């Protein structure tokens, strides 16, 4: 370097040092003018500016450092600055931890149930066969197939690529070492495990010759049942166990952790047929596509094979039917997809609101740091370096929030799994694994960009000379900054209204469901289901002997007021059967339950007309039924229902009584009923003593339930177990439940969604209120001098407060209107679970907007009240 260059550099360094010394002195004078003692003012100035020469050298050095070293210095400085404002830092990190944790918990569920590949080889080639019906009235997908469908498919080359199974499990009785226990049985056809690609760890699976009506009693055990019941003894292979009241040979043990299409403890042959069970759509078919084949081409090849059987169902002429295929993963996750999409949208909205809220706070914080930023720029730091520094601070906040978010996410996942309960038992498979942690890290990085970029850019637009001379935040592009901040507040409020509307619709649905009249008295009712899928109870006579023995013992138990047995319960789905009036061709459908004498007395269901089921209704007397009011309204409105005869389950039965409606889970569409989780469907009650073999066969799907009305649940539970055990020691008693729990289970999904979405909506409301409060508070701080002058010139304190607060209310009103418009398309996400409330219910929209405006008014008024504490004389002196 030449002498002239050295001289110019020394002169420039001296000018910078003098300039910085001048700014330091000006800052000390400004603090002293505000009433700060001189010693304290110098101490604060040294903290802010440091040693002028050292600060200048650091800036010069950093301009030539590699990226990593620069980032480390920015990181250290950012941590120091955040430590100086612990209130802001703790608030920001806590907010991020909560919203990132909520998103992590929901994503862990979605990852386990919707995104993660199934644990089968080439699982993307597995599909469920289901008919697809297309007509001018729309499209409908069948959920299952019948025996004829499977028979036609099995006779072709697709038979080797397919397997039939039932897509549900049934509780069956298992006796081990003289102890009775429940086991969840799934019935599957030959080749089921081969199609899934998972062979038994020990033994083999069923062969086609074994999977036929009348085939040998064989079973395959799950690894967990093998360990729990038989101690993992490999010698059990080939031995017989007492299952369903008869010996069954164990031919295989599945690998540890295997889960097929249902949560089963053991598997037995399906033995498909085209009559009886196979006459209805009670089967499911899993297909493994050839390599390179698509779902569309495979469905086209299967359609000609199964079309004749589908046409035999008496479809209308304008209906087109094809053999559709649905990916197995989509089929298994169908029940979880909708609630997870709702929850994902809700937590995503809260995340956006939190980012907007933090951006608003960072904008306000950037205004208070204008002098610091101006000093850095005066010493040669460019806008890019300022933006980089502020973004590094945002990254520090996001990293801390993301780390805490993992912990919050784990706790949230435990909470979601507990809330999901039996209704969403699949949620128990979710965990915080590698992909979830990567998502959490990515979410933290994205949020740092979302909430940090705009404030950093605005803060870098500082007017250096004005900031250094005035020491005021006005130097930071005030107009643009204020409009940005107001826009962010409007965005927060708008998104908050969307969540509030969705929560309001779900809350109204919950209230409507809770207000439904059950049609009986659920107080002090205790129930327990017992599986009679047992060879010892294969006939109506054997079943009724068990009923009579247990009920006699129950009714003689002290503390028991009434007892009964029924096929199913109110609030649950029961057997749906078709019936006809003699002489008519068109059939109708009703919910069918067999009940013991005393059923209506036990449940306190009111008798409307005729009589109830009596003990005199025996197999040798006239076949009778009792119907409910919904049956009379829908199926006999033109004449008296009393005395009419219906043909049901192969027998003609006379209607002798009418009782009140009770709420049940719908198994078919009910004319005039509001679609929902429970409806008052047409019901037929058959005396248990008059059931025939066909109804006994329904124990494959529906177990009988013992119900006791007693002084206390403990007395009832003990009485049920004692009565059944005394009648049959090898008959295990199922889960004992209170009727209130049965009712809660029927609307569990709606309750869960209402609780979670409402919680998220309140969080969004709180964030919007915090953001609006912060904007008004910072505005009051920025305009303190202006308000002091106004008050000195005669403005009233009340008028000034009203003007400031009104600004926040106006922003909230704009956001409420925009949020109402956004909520119209957003509410479609919850439309499928609404009950007796319109998707665009005006009362809910107005209520959500009004509630938010009240909260916004309070959030705007509180910081505005600080104006009342201003002293105009003090303000003017400063």
């Amino acid at each position: 370097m030449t002498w002239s260059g050295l001289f110019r550099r020394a002169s420039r360094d001296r000018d910078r040092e003098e300039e910085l010394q001048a700014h330091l002195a000006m800052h000390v004078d400004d603090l002293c003018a505000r009433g700060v003692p001189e010693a304290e003012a110098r101490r604060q100035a040294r903290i802010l500016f440091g040693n002028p020469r050292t600060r200048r050298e650091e800036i010069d050095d950093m301009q030539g450092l590699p990226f990593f070293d620069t980032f480390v210095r920015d990181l250290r400085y950012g941590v120091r600055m955040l430590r100086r404002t612990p209130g802001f830092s703790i608030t920001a990190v806590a907010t991020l931890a909560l919203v990132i944790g909520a998103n992590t918990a929901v994503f862990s569920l979605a990852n386990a149930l919707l995104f993660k590949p199934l644990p089968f080889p080439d699982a993307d080639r597995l599909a469920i066969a289901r008919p697809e019906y297309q007509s001018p009235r729309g499209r409908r997908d069948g959920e299952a197939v019948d025996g004829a469908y499977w028979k036609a498919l099995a006779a072709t080359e697709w038979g080797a690529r397919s397997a039939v199974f039932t897509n549900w499990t049934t509780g069956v009785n298992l006796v081990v070492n003289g102890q009775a226990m429940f086991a969840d049985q799934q019935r599957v056809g030959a080749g089921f495990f081969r199609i899934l690609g998972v062979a038994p760890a020990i033994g083999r699976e069923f062969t086609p010759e074994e999977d036929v009506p009348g085939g040998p009693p064989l079973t395959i055990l799950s690894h967990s049942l093998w360990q729990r019941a038989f101690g993992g003894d490999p010698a059990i292979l080939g031995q017989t166990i007492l299952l369903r009241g008869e010996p069954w040979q164990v031919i295989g043990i599945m690998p540890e952790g295997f889960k097929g299409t249902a949560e089963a403890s053991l598997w037995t042959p399906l033995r498909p047929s085209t009559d009886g069970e196979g006459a209805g759509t009670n089967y499911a078919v899993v297909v493994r596509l050839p390599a390179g084949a698509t779902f569309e081409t495979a469905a086209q090849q299967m359609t000609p094979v199964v079309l004749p059987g589908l046409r035999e169902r008496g479809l209308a002429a304008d209906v087109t039917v094809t053999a559709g295929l649905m990916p197995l993963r989509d089929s298994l996750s169908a029940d979880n997809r909708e609630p997870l999409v709702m929850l994902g949208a809700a937590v995503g909205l809260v995340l956006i609101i939190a980012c907007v809220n933090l951006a608003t706070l960072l904008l306000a914080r950037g205004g208070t740091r204008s002098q610091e930023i101006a000093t850095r720029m005066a010493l040669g730091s460019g806008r890019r370096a300022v933006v980089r520094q502020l973004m590094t601070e945002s990254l520090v906040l996001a990293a801390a929030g993301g780390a805490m978010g993992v912990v919050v996410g784990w706790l949230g996942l435990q909470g979601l799994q507990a809330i999901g309960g039996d209704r969403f038992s699949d949620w128990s498979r979710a965990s915080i694994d590698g992909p979830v942690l990567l998502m959490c890290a990515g979410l933290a990085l994205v949020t740092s960009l979302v909430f940090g970029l705009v404030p950093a850019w605005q803060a870098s637009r500082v007017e250096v000379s004005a900031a250094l001379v005035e020491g005021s935040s006005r130097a930071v592009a005030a107009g643009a900054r204020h409009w940005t901040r107001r826009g962010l507040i409007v965005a927060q409020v708008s998104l908050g209204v969307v969540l509030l509307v969705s929560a309001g619709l779900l809350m109204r649905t919950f209230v409507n469901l809770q207000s439904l009249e059950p049609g009986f008295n659920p107080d002090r009712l205790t129930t327990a289901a017992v599986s009679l899928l047992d060879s010892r109870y294969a006939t109506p006579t054997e079943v009724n002997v068990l009923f009579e023995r247990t009920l006699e013992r129950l009714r003689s138990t002290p503390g028991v007021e009434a007892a009964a047995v029924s096929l199913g319960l109110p609030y649950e789905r029961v057997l749906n059967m078709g019936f006809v009036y003699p002489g008519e061709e068109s059939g109708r459908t009703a919910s069918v339950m067999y009940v013991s004498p005393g059923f209506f007395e036990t449940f306190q269901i009111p008798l409307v007309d005729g009589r109830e089921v009596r003990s005199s209704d025996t197999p040798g007397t006239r076949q009778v039924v009792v119907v409910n009011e919904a049956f009379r309204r829908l199926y006999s409105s033109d004449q008296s229902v009393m005395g009419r005869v219906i043909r049901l389950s192969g027998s003609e039965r006379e209607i002798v009584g009418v009782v009140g409606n009770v709420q049940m889970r719908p198994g078919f569409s009910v004319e005039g009923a509001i679609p929902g989780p429970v409806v008052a469907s047409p019901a037929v009650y058959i005396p248990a003593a008059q059931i025939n073999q066909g109804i006994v066969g329904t124990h494959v799907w529906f177990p009988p339930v013992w119900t006791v009305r007693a002084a206390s649940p403990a007395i009832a539970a003990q009485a049920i177990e004692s009565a059944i055990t005394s009648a049959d020691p090898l008959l295990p008693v199922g889960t004992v439940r209170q009727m209130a729990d049965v009712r809660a289970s029927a609307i569990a999904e709606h309750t869960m969604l209402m609780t979670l979405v409402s919680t998220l909506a309140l969080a969004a409301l709180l964030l919007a209120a915090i953001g609006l409060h912060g904007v008004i508070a910072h505005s009051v701080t920025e305009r303190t001098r202006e308000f002091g002058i106004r008050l000195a010139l005669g403005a009233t304190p009340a008028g000034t407060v009203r003007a400031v607060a009104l600004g926040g209310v106006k922003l909230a009103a704009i956001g409420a209107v925009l949020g109402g418009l956004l909520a119209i398309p957003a509410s479609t996400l919850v439309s499928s679970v609404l009950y007796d409330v319109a998707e665009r219910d005006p009362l809910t929209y107005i209520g959500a907007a009004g509630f938010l405006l009240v909260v916004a008014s309070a959030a705007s008024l509180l910081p505005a009240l600080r104006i009342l504490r201003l002293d105009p004389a003090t303000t003017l002196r400063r």
Side-chain angles (χ1 to χ4, degrees):
M1 181 178 293
T2 62
W3 285 103
S4 60
L6 290 173
F7 178 78
R8 285 195 300 271
R9 178 173 180 178
S11 177
R12 184 172 64 250
D13 291 347
R14 185 174 60 254
D15 292 341
R16 286 183 179 180
E17 183 174 343
E18 291 174 354
E19 181 182 9
L20 188 57
Q21 288 282 14
H23 292 324
L24 189 147
M26 290 171 57
H27 186 71
V28 171
D29 292 342
D30 183 61
L31 291 176
C32 291
R34 298 182 185 184
V36 178
E38 182 176 355
E40 176 63 20
R42 292 188 177 279
R43 188 187 68 82
Q44 292 185 21
R46 284 195 300 272
I47 292 175
L48 177 62
F49 293 95
N51 181 273
R53 181 178 298 279
T54 303
R55 179 63 60 87
R56 186 201 68 226
E57 291 174 352
E58 287 182 356
I59 293 175
D60 289 341
D61 291 343
M62 287 181 65
Q63 291 175 348
L65 286 175
F67 170 79
F68 180 76
D69 293 339
T70 303
F71 174 74
V72 170
R73 291 202 178 192
D74 285 341
L75 187 64
R76 290 175 179 171
Y77 183 72
V79 171
R80 288 200 304 268
M81 293 304 298
L82 292 174
R83 287 175 59 186
R84 293 178 185 174
T85 53
F88 166 81
S89 301
I90 292 174
T91 301
V93 171
T95 300
L96 286 172
L98 290 175
V99 296
I100 291 177
N103 279 269
T104 299
V106 174
F107 178 78
S108 64
L109 292 176
N111 179 60
L113 302 174
L114 305 182
F115 306 138
K116 185 179 292 185
L118 296 176
F120 310 125
D122 298 322
D124 57 333
R125 289 164 47 198
L126 292 173
I128 294 293
R130 60 174 190 173
E132 296 178 353
Y133 304 93
Q134 185 71 42
S135 72
R137 296 172 294 280
R139 174 177 171 173
R140 181 176 63 87
D141 297 327
E143 297 180 356
V145 301
D146 59 12
Y149 185 107
W150 166 245
K151 183 178 179 180
L153 191 65
T156 68
E157 63 180 32
W158 285 100
R161 296 186 175 275
S162 309
V164 64
F165 66 100
T166 58
N167 56 6
W168 70 87
T169 61
T170 306
V172 293
N173 308 324
L174 173 65
V175 179
V176 180
N177 297 325
Q179 296 293 322
M181 65 175 64
F182 262 124
D184 293 319
Q185 165 203 310
Q186 183 182 19
R187 295 180 298 136
V188 300
F192 176 76
F193 301 104
R194 173 180 57 82
I195 296 300
L196 293 183
V198 181
I202 304 175
R204 61 177 180 85
E205 63 175 306
F206 313 120
T207 65
E209 294 74 23
E210 296 165 340
D211 186 33
V212 294
L218 307 173
T219 184
I220 298 173
L221 306 180
S222 69
H223 186 274
S224 60
L225 179 63
W226 178 48
Q227 293 287 337
R228 183 175 71 253
F230 305 101
D233 184 6
I236 194 65
L237 196 69
Q239 301 298 313
T240 58
I241 60 175
L242 192 59
L243 177 67
R244 294 168 49 172
E246 58 184 352
W248 288 65
Q249 183 182 12
V250 178
I251 65 169
I253 311 293
M254 293 307 295
E256 183 177 2
F258 172 79
K259 178 183 178 296
T261 58
E263 294 283 356
S265 302
L266 55 85
W267 294 265
T268 59
L270 177 61
R271 301 167 182 168
S273 64
T274 56
D275 56 5
E277 177 189 48
T281 54
N282 296 309
Y283 298 151
V285 175
V286 59
V287 180
R288 180 173 285 276
L289 275 60
T294 64
F295 288 88
E296 293 75 14
T297 58
Q300 291 173 1
Q301 295 173 12
M302 292 170 58
T303 297
V305 176
V306 299
L307 186 58
L310 294 173
R311 276 293 176 193
E312 289 177 1
R313 296 181 185 172
L315 299 176
D318 60 349
V319 176
T320 302
V321 60
T322 57
L325 290 172
M326 182 183 190
L328 179 60
R329 186 181 66 182
D330 293 349
S331 175
L332 296 181
S333 63
D335 291 341
N336 296 291
R337 184 175 302 277
E338 193 170 55
L340 288 181
V341 168
M342 291 183 196
L343 291 180
V347 296
L349 276 179
V350 174
L351 176 65
I352 295 174
I353 293 172
C355 289
V356 173
N357 180 274
L358 291 175
T360 306
L361 295 177
L362 284 173
L363 275 173
R365 187 169 181 265
T368 61
R369 297 177 61 185
S370 60
Q371 198 169 47
E372 170 206 342
I373 295 171
T375 302
R376 291 171 61 87
M377 297 183 70
L379 293 176
S381 181
R383 290 184 61 185
R384 182 180 301 177
V386 172
V387 171
R388 183 188 65 220
Q389 173 61 53
L390 296 179
M391 287 300 298
T392 301
E393 295 179 17
S394 299
L395 184 61
V396 171
L397 291 174
M404 292 184 61
V406 173
V407 179
V408 175
W410 182 82
L411 295 174
L413 178 59
Q414 307 302 311
L416 287 174
Q417 290 171 338
I419 294 174
D422 294 335
R423 174 65 182 83
F424 297 102
S425 57
D426 287 346
W427 288 13
S428 61
R429 295 191 282 118
S431 61
I432 307 293
D433 53 13
V436 175
L437 291 176
L438 287 176
M439 189 282 303
C440 186
L443 198 58
L445 180 61
V446 170
T447 53
S448 69
L449 295 175
V450 171
F451 72 76
L453 187 57
V454 173
W457 183 256
Q458 289 288 349
S460 68
R461 299 174 63 188
V462 65
E463 297 179 15
V464 178
S465 58
L468 292 175
V469 173
E470 298 179 11
S472 171
S473 60
R474 296 179 184 178
V476 183
R481 188 185 73 251
H482 290 167
W483 278 111
T484 302
R485 200 183 305 164
R486 292 167 186 164
L488 293 175
I489 288 297
V490 170
Q492 284 188 76
V493 173
S494 301
L495 297 176
V497 169
V498 172
L499 274 178
L500 282 174
V501 168
S502 300
L505 293 173
L506 291 173
M507 290 180 69
R508 292 199 60 189
T509 292
F510 178 76
V511 171
N512 291 339
L513 290 173
Q514 290 283 30
S515 62
L516 286 175
E517 287 295 332
F520 65 99
N521 182 8
D523 296 336
R524 297 184 291 113
L525 284 181
T526 303
T527 71
V530 176
S531 173
L532 291 189
L533 188 58
D534 194 299
S535 62
R536 294 170 299 149
Y537 300 100
T539 66
T541 301
E542 294 165 335
V543 169
N544 277 284
V545 168
L546 175 68
F547 290 169
E548 292 170 4
R549 289 178 178 176
T550 54
L551 289 176
E552 182 180 359
R553 184 179 179 92
L554 282 171
R555 289 165 182 160
S556 63
T557 301
V560 173
E561 302 173 13
V565 179
S566 59
L567 186 68
L569 288 170
Y571 287 110
E572 293 186 337
R573 180 176 177 178
V574 298
L575 177 64
N576 301 136
M577 296 184 70
F579 72 93
V580 295
Y581 290 115
E584 296 184 3
E585 294 183 358
S586 60
R588 298 172 173 86
T589 303
S591 298
V592 177
M593 299 171 63
Y594 65 65
V595 298
S596 67
F599 172 81
F600 301 105
E601 176 190 354
T602 301
F603 281 83
Q604 297 181 5
I605 300 173
L607 178 66
V608 178
D609 197 2
R611 68 174 179 86
E612 301 177 355
V613 172
R614 298 172 178 169
S615 58
S616 59
D617 296 322
T618 63
T621 62
R622 179 184 54 176
Q623 303 283 290
V624 299
V625 294
V626 175
V627 300
N628 67 349
E629 289 187 289
F631 182 100
R632 179 169 65 178
R633 176 180 60 84
L634 290 175
Y635 299 148
S636 191
S637 60
D638 57 340
Q639 59 180 294
S640 174
V641 74
M642 296 295 297
R644 296 193 72 177
V645 175
I646 63 173
R647 184 175 294 117
L648 176 69
S649 186
S651 302
E652 291 191 355
R653 304 170 187 269
E654 180 184 350
I655 299 174
V656 297
V658 180
V659 296
N661 296 327
V662 298
Q663 301 295 328
M664 297 180 178
R665 280 192 179 181
F668 57 95
S669 59
V670 179
E671 181 182 347
I674 301 173
V678 291
V679 297
S681 61
V684 176
Y685 301 93
I686 303 174
Q690 294 183 346
I691 60 177
N692 55 29
Q693 196 64 42
I695 296 179
V696 169
T698 62
H699 289 160
V700 172
W701 305 290
F702 302 100
V705 181
W706 274 252
T707 304
V708 169
R709 184 179 293 279
S712 71
I715 292 176
Q718 185 176 2
I720 292 174
E721 186 169 358
S722 176
I724 294 175
T725 302
S726 64
D728 185 349
L730 299 183
L731 199 61
V733 180
T735 303
V736 177
R737 297 185 296 170
Q738 301 305 305
M739 201 63 214
D741 298 331
V742 178
R743 180 183 186 183
S745 178
I747 59 174
E749 180 176 351
H750 296 73
T751 305
M752 180 200 68
L753 290 175
M754 184 272 298
T755 302
L756 295 178
V757 174
S758 297
T759 302
L760 293 172
L762 291 177
L765 180 66
L766 178 62
L767 289 173
I770 291 174
L772 193 55
H773 181 281
V775 166
I776 301 301
H778 190 69
S779 176
V780 171
T781 302
E782 281 185 326
R783 300 170 62 189
T784 298
R785 183 180 303 174
E786 171 192 342
F787 293 145
I789 295 174
R790 287 189 178 189
L791 293 174
L793 294 178
T796 62
T800 306
V801 169
R802 183 170 57 252
V804 173
L806 192 60
V809 175
K810 288 180 179 178
L811 292 177
I814 296 172
V817 172
L818 293 177
L821 296 176
L822 290 174
I824 294 176
S827 60
T828 57
L829 288 173
V830 299
S831 60
S832 62
V833 295
L834 299 182
Y835 178 81
D836 200 17
V837 59
E839 179 183 329
R840 299 178 182 178
D841 177 57
L843 183 61
T844 303
Y845 281 68
I846 294 173
F851 181 55
L852 192 141
L853 282 176
V854 170
V855 174
S857 299
S860 301
L861 180 61
L862 291 177
L865 292 176
R866 298 179 186 176
I867 297 174
L868 299 178
R869 298 197 298 267
L870 288 180
D871 182 0
T874 303
T875 304
L876 290 176
R877 282 197 302 270
R878 290 183 178 178

